[in-house]
Amino acid sequence: MAVEDEGEETRRPLLRDTELTGTLWTALAHIITGVIGSGVLSLAWSMAQLGWIAGPFSILLFAFFNLISASILCDIHIFSNNTTTVVNRSYLQAVNTFLGSKNGFVCGCLVYFSIFKTGVVYTITSAISLRAIRQSNCYHEEGHAAACEFENKYYMLLFGIVQIVASQIPNIFHTRWLSIIAAVMSFTYSFLGMGLGLAQVIGQREIKGNISGIQATNSTQKVWLVAQALGDIAFAYNFSLILLEIQNTLKSPPSQKVTMKKASSIAISTTSIFYLLCGGFGYAAFGDSTPGNLLTGFGFYEPYWLIDFGNACIVLHLVGGYQIYSQTLFVNVERWYVEKFPESAFATDIQSLKVLSLPEFRVNPLRLCFRTAYVILTMGVAMLFPYFNEVLAFAGSIIFWPLTIYFPVEMYILQKKVVAWSKKWIVLRLYSTFCLLVTIFTLAGSIEGLIAKRFG
């Protein structure tokens, strides 16, 4: 935890104003890169499980939850009292500052697990999209009934190799260009998904789907599918962990808090519109036949080149998204190692390398070994559980309540000194409890789905 005295805090803003260059637009790029990810591809399937009323309502409800969380987190970036000033440069540091080391330890486990599972999900999704490009060309050449089935693991290996190289980027300050490219790709394939769904609806002159969603074989199965659908939606809005890191890159004036709140509101509103349109058009186009992944489930076959382009955009986006999330874990682990072993040459021996005509870059042995091992581990887990919708639901549900709801609410209560059993305190507790029940429900459904896919 970084604690600074008043004199140091007085000097710090001058240094930060000259060193930090982040703006509203770079913050938007980072957030959209983190929010519009693989989750958007499952929203048509989620809408199909929930139906025309519960589907849109659930998307808007989760958007509301994340808007509240984002507003709270923006306020806790800097904490001051009469004796100290704490600049919370990460989500985990904020929990340590407000709630103490015990909560910080629990939060740390959840944060690192969340970052890791996001890497696993992005590896799975990228491999599916790479495979879909090959399948699309196969179907185009040999017909829609052709046996165009290919293994995912080779594409996971290819994505992993790319990430091993990209992971050598020192920290999130150096990923601005990657985030901008990834954000553009996010909008591109979201527009493609919406456009293809709309074109399908216009072509068939029919809006498919119904109020109750897809009819399952029995009521128990329907309950599990609804739970998985809610878990997929929760994953689609998962970005709380990176908000403070993004806020820490912003220059001022205006204040970082003002800029970040504006960026969060714009980003969540924009992505919610995309989610509603993408999920709605997909469900309207396919009804009970809605695929689990809108661009790789082959509800669409033609134009094949457009399907290829959309999936290529997904891969490019997830290359950047993987880094936006993973850089938090990388930097924290490496900082811990340096503090623990300050004399270690393994962490400080930096060498410059020149590869062909690429710019010269520096290699840190610790960075090279740890980040490479991390990428290999995410790749291994993805190969073990390559199930898109079920893994998304598990990933979204297991950390939704603690990281998006519980810790922000508890920090808000302490920061604002909310009196116990006051109206505001009761509302916050009811809000947190409701979200906990939703999380338990979605987690149970996702675990049932994983077990059924893996061992069924």
Side-chain angles (χ1 to χ4, degrees):
M1 181 175 67
V3 179
E4 302 166 352
D5 61 33
E6 293 180 1
E8 186 176 352
E9 174 64 12
T10 302
R11 295 188 299 271
R12 183 183 60 80
L14 295 175
L15 178 63
R16 295 178 71 227
D17 287 346
T18 58
E19 289 185 347
L20 302 183
T21 58
T23 64
L24 173 66
W25 297 107
T26 61
L28 277 171
H30 281 309
I31 295 173
I32 291 172
T33 299
V35 178
I36 303 183
S38 53
V40 70
L41 303 172
S42 69
L43 291 179
W45 180 87
S46 297
M47 191 87 78
Q49 309 309 317
L50 297 167
W52 279 120
I53 294 178
F57 175 77
S58 298
I59 291 174
L60 292 175
L61 185 63
F62 277 94
F64 175 71
F65 291 157
N66 279 269
L67 193 60
I68 293 175
S69 177
S71 179
I72 291 173
L73 291 172
C74 290
D75 285 333
I76 65 173
H77 180 232
I78 296 179
F79 169 76
S80 298
N81 57 27
N82 294 330
T83 58
T84 61
T85 296
V86 178
V87 182
N88 296 304
R89 296 182 173 88
S90 71
Y91 186 101
L92 180 55
Q93 185 183 357
V95 173
N96 275 290
T97 300
F98 285 92
L99 304 178
S101 58
K102 290 184 179 179
N103 281 286
F105 174 78
V106 174
C107 179
C109 294
L110 291 169
V111 166
Y112 295 137
F113 174 78
S114 176
I115 293 170
F116 178 79
K117 58 84 181 167
T118 301
V120 172
V121 170
Y122 281 11
T123 302
I124 293 171
T125 311
S126 297
I128 292 173
S129 292
L130 287 169
R131 184 192 65 184
I133 293 173
R134 187 175 177 187
Q135 285 181 297
S136 176
N137 287 275
C138 175
Y139 287 133
H140 176 72
E141 293 173 359
E142 301 182 20
H144 298 174
C148 299
E149 296 297 329
F150 306 101
E151 289 281 348
N152 276 340
K153 59 185 179 182
Y154 301 108
Y155 301 104
M156 291 182 185
L157 181 62
L158 177 61
F159 182 77
I161 292 171
V162 172
Q163 288 302 336
I164 288 173
V165 175
S167 292
Q168 300 312 307
I169 297 172
N171 53 54
I172 196 171
F173 290 91
H174 296 81
T175 61
R176 180 190 305 176
W177 59 273
L178 198 58
S179 286
I180 293 172
I181 293 173
V184 171
M185 295 300 101
S186 298
F187 279 114
T188 301
Y189 69 71
S190 296
F191 271 119
L192 282 176
M194 288 188 294
L196 289 169
L198 179 60
Q200 185 89 349
V201 171
I202 294 173
Q204 65 195 15
R205 297 182 179 181
E206 178 188 2
I207 296 177
K208 296 184 178 180
N210 55 69
I211 292 176
S212 60
I214 295 175
Q215 298 300 315
T217 54
N218 55 64
S219 58
T220 302
Q221 186 62 26
K222 178 65 175 180
V223 169
W224 292 134
L225 289 173
V226 168
Q228 291 176 31
L230 292 174
D232 284 359
I233 295 172
F235 179 84
Y237 277 107
N238 178 30
F239 80 102
S240 298
L241 294 182
I242 59 174
L243 193 144
L244 288 177
E245 279 87 347
I246 296 171
Q247 188 167 340
N248 196 51
T249 68
L250 300 176
K251 65 181 179 181
S252 59
S255 71
Q256 292 177 311
K257 180 174 71 174
V258 170
T259 302
M260 200 65 206
K261 283 192 174 185
K262 186 175 181 181
S264 299
S265 299
I266 295 173
I268 293 174
S269 300
T270 303
T271 53
S272 296
I273 293 171
F274 272 95
Y275 287 176
L276 288 169
L277 293 176
C278 204
F281 286 148
Y283 183 38
F286 300 109
D288 288 355
S289 301
T290 303
N293 185 317
L294 193 58
L295 286 179
T296 65
F298 286 97
F300 307 111
Y301 287 93
E302 300 292 343
Y304 80 99
W305 59 269
L306 195 58
I307 306 299
D308 291 353
F309 177 69
N311 281 294
C313 290
I314 293 170
V315 175
L316 286 174
H317 168 255
L318 296 184
V319 168
Y322 187 105
Q323 287 303 311
I324 293 300
Y325 279 99
S326 299
Q327 283 292 336
T328 299
L329 185 147
F330 294 159
V331 171
N332 286 341
V333 171
E334 290 161 11
R335 183 185 297 126
W336 170 85
Y337 183 89
V338 170
E339 292 173 354
K340 189 77 173 177
F341 307 100
E343 303 300 325
S344 174
F346 187 64
T348 58
D349 183 17
I350 300 176
Q351 299 176 348
S352 296
L353 293 178
K354 179 77 173 176
V355 179
L356 300 176
S357 59
L358 296 175
E360 189 178 83
F361 64 96
R362 298 187 301 174
V363 175
N364 180 297
L366 172 62
R367 183 189 305 156
L368 179 63
C369 295
F370 168 68
R371 298 187 183 192
T372 300
Y374 173 86
V375 172
I376 292 173
L377 185 58
T378 59
M379 199 166 40
V381 174
M383 289 180 180
L384 189 62
F385 295 98
Y387 314 119
F388 179 73
N389 291 100
E390 292 77 13
V391 171
L392 251 65
F394 179 78
S397 59
I398 198 168
I399 52 85
F400 167 71
W401 177 73
L403 298 184
T404 303
I405 307 299
Y406 174 74
F407 286 123
V409 166
E410 294 301 313
M411 289 187 284
Y412 178 84
I413 289 174
L414 287 175
Q415 182 191 43
K416 301 297 183 182
K417 299 178 180 178
V418 179
V419 178
W421 301 107
S422 63
K423 289 183 180 180
K424 180 180 287 188
W425 186 91
I426 293 173
V427 169
L428 288 170
R429 293 301 183 196
L430 289 174
Y431 166 67
S432 182
T433 302
F434 172 76
C435 292
L436 173 61
L437 295 175
V438 172
T439 295
I440 293 171
F441 176 60
T442 59
L443 181 59
S446 65
I447 292 174
E448 189 278 338
L450 283 173
I451 292 174
K453 276 292 183 71
R454 184 63 184 171
F455 304 106

